[in-house]
Amino acid sequence: MNRFSLTLSTAIARVTEAARAPYQSAVIRIGFATTWLLFLLREFPHRAELYGPDGPWSWDLAQQLLGMNHAFTVLMWSDSRLWFETVYALAVAAAALLALGWRTRTASVLFLVGVLSLQNRSVFMGDGGDNVLHLMSVYLVFTRCGQVWSLDARRARRQDAAAARGELVVDRVGPALWAASGVALVAATALGRFDGQEWLVPSLLWAAWAAQALWWLAGRFRRSPQPRILLDVITNMLHNGALLVIMAEACLIYATAGWYKIQGSRWQDGTAVYYPLHLDYFSPWPALGDLLAASGIMVMLVTYGTVAAQVAFPFTLFNRRVKNVLLAVMMVEHAAIAVVLGLPFFSLAMIAADAVFLPTPFLRRLGSLAARGARRLSGRPATARVPGPRAPQPAEQPQVGSPT
């Protein structure tokens, strides 16, 4: 019984005492935000045809579909061109801010609104990667993905240094963003904009807004560290749970794709890869596709190798070395799909999902190399170390914190 209690307490402590995998969460934040940002920028000349008033999926058709599935989208709040352009611009800005890690709590919520609004407006636009982005935009809201490699982490270090010098740290941007988002939520609710839509997303928006208020109050008016410790425990649990869901989602994607492929006759006889290489829609480089399709052995190896890798991937998580090798294979495969089949955003989304399994030492070395390269380009002197995630300091002196 004592051994069981010790094991249980250790497991609870691992879940609650810290937000795990800070580098992995930073990578998936940067990966998904950059993927969505690049997609929006590439399709900027065609935005009105894809998601706006000039598209084949008209306003009336979208209203009929949303009346049945009650999906969330702010684009259906108005049919004006100005409103569409505003939402599209905000989606671009939110993706850029999330990738940079600026006010990640607020940016992740705005990123969610932008992704759902555009994708639910025109549900037939996408190549599979949009489904991954759709799900991951929800999960990112629950993560503390700005602990490292973000403007938030840099601001936190500067605030700690200023507080150590005895300076009063006042954040005005965070409360201003919180107040503006509150006004927007109150207006949307009072005007009935959430009526007829699924309750989950509006509830999540209100919950995120209220949580930011509690976080700020705990840091500003506390007389004891207990409220902040409690909020840290809750946010750590949400973060770790969200990362677990992201991992399970990636495994489920590969497992279902692999087992469905096994049932197909073209995958069984080793010729499935041959046919997409001869479709004009999936041939940005026809000569490269013809070169690969000319070798029957290469087609067979890629076909069987794809199925084997997808089916085996969830089981390799129990062996770190095998998992790392197969993870590299999967990322190379997605890079090849991006080049050969012309599906860059699908591949980027899947690589970003795979990044949650990357080992921490590799990511730290990657961050060190990136920081060293940035210093060389800027001409700054080298620093002693690459800063890691900010450790919680519940007993520090009260300061004016940020709700975002």
Side-chain angles (χ1 to χ4, degrees), residues 286-356:
L288 181 59
D290 293 340
L291 179 64
L292 294 175
S295 173
I297 295 178
M298 178 63 68
V299 171
M300 182 186 66
L301 290 176
V302 173
T303 301
Y304 288 146
T306 298
V307 175
Q310 290 181 345
V311 172
F313 181 76
F315 301 100
T316 62
L317 299 182
F318 300 100
N319 188 295
R320 183 179 60 183
R321 293 182 178 179
V322 177
K323 180 264 295 182
N324 291 338
V325 171
L326 193 56
L327 187 61
V329 171
M330 300 297 290
M331 289 186 170
V332 171
E333 179 187 5
H334 287 304
I337 291 174
V339 176
V340 177
L341 299 182
L343 297 172
F345 301 109
F346 166 78
S347 298
L348 284 175
M350 291 307 304
I351 291 174
D354 293 342
V356 73

Side-chain angles (χ1 to χ4, degrees), residues 22-146:
Y23 294 95
Q24 287 82 353
S25 59
V27 169
I28 61 176
R29 181 200 84 230
I30 296 170
F32 286 118
T34 302
T35 300
W36 182 240
L37 175 63
L38 293 176
F39 174 79
L40 294 179
L41 293 178
R42 191 195 72 169
E43 301 299 342
F44 187 81
H46 315 291
R47 62 192 183 281
E49 289 80 8
L50 291 177
Y51 302 109
D54 300 336
W57 191 249
S58 65
W59 173 271
D60 293 335
L61 290 175
Q63 276 191 323
Q64 294 179 32
L65 180 60
L66 293 174
M68 293 185 291
N69 61 18
H70 307 288
F72 174 85
T73 172
V74 301
L75 280 178
M76 299 305 294
W77 292 1
S78 173
D79 59 352
S80 70
R81 182 64 177 258
L82 177 61
W83 177 247
F84 166 73
E85 298 292 352
T86 301
V87 172
Y88 199 93
L90 288 177
V92 172
L97 293 177
L98 185 61
L100 294 174
W102 186 83
R103 308 286 173 173
T104 49
R105 291 179 185 140
T106 299
S108 62
V109 175
L110 295 178
F111 179 76
L112 167 68
V113 172
V115 171
L116 297 187
S117 296
L118 291 173
Q119 290 187 354
N120 289 338
R121 167 63 177 84
S122 299
V123 295
F124 299 106
M125 302 297 175
D127 52 15
D130 56 313
N131 294 327
V132 179
L133 270 170
H134 195 105
L135 295 171
M136 297 303 175
S137 65
V138 179
Y139 303 149
L140 279 174
V141 174
F142 296 94
T143 63
R144 304 180 74 171
C145 54

Side-chain angles (χ1 to χ4, degrees), residues 71-330:
F72 174 85
T73 172
V74 301
L75 280 178
M76 299 305 294
W77 292 1
S78 173
D79 59 352
S80 70
R81 182 64 177 258
L82 177 61
W83 177 247
F84 166 73
E85 298 292 352
T86 301
V87 172
Y88 199 93
L90 288 177
V92 172
L97 293 177
L98 185 61
L100 294 174
W102 186 83
R103 308 286 173 173
T104 49
R105 291 179 185 140
T106 299
S108 62
V109 175
L110 295 178
F111 179 76
L112 167 68
V113 172
V115 171
L116 297 187
S117 296
L118 291 173
Q119 290 187 354
N120 289 338
R121 167 63 177 84
S122 299
V123 295
F124 299 106
M125 302 297 175
D127 52 15
D130 56 313
N131 294 327
V132 179
L133 270 170
H134 195 105
L135 295 171
M136 297 303 175
S137 65
V138 179
Y139 303 149
L140 279 174
V141 174
F142 296 94
T143 63
R144 304 180 74 171
C145 54
Q147 298 179 92
V148 297
W149 298 344
S150 67
L151 297 178
D152 283 354
R154 186 180 69 171
R155 187 178 71 254
R157 292 193 298 269
R158 292 180 175 179
Q159 288 178 349
D160 290 342
R165 295 191 300 267
E167 300 176 4
L168 179 63
V169 180
V170 180
D171 178 26
R172 295 183 175 86
V173 177
L177 285 174
W178 178 82
S181 59
V183 170
L185 282 174
V186 170
T189 304
L191 295 174
R193 299 304 185 186
F194 295 137
D195 295 345
Q197 297 183 348
E198 57 183 6
W199 61 269
L200 177 60
V201 176
S203 300
L204 180 59
L205 298 179
W206 274 109
W209 183 80
Q212 290 181 3
L214 290 175
W215 188 269
W216 182 81
L217 289 173
R220 177 65 179 86
F221 298 109
R222 66 184 182 184
R223 294 187 178 182
S224 70
Q226 300 304 321
R228 190 59 176 265
I229 292 175
L230 176 60
L231 291 178
D232 268 323
V233 169
I234 294 174
T235 53
N236 290 340
M237 291 176 62
L238 291 175
H239 168 90
N240 296 328
L243 282 184
L244 181 61
V245 171
I246 290 174
M247 294 178 182
E249 190 73 44
C251 291
L252 185 62
I253 290 173
Y254 285 126
T256 54
W259 286 107
Y260 271 112
K261 286 182 175 66
I262 288 178
Q263 303 175 43
S265 59
R266 300 303 181 189
W267 292 96
Q268 293 175 5
D269 60 26
T271 62
V273 174
Y274 175 85
Y275 300 99
L277 295 175
H278 289 80
L279 295 176
D280 293 338
Y281 183 78
F282 295 109
S283 300
W285 314 99
L288 181 59
D290 293 340
L291 179 64
L292 294 175
S295 173
I297 295 178
M298 178 63 68
V299 171
M300 182 186 66
L301 290 176
V302 173
T303 301
Y304 288 146
T306 298
V307 175
Q310 290 181 345
V311 172
F313 181 76
F315 301 100
T316 62
L317 299 182
F318 300 100
N319 188 295
R320 183 179 60 183
R321 293 182 178 179
V322 177
K323 180 264 295 182
N324 291 338
V325 171
L326 193 56
L327 187 61
V329 171
M330 300 297 290

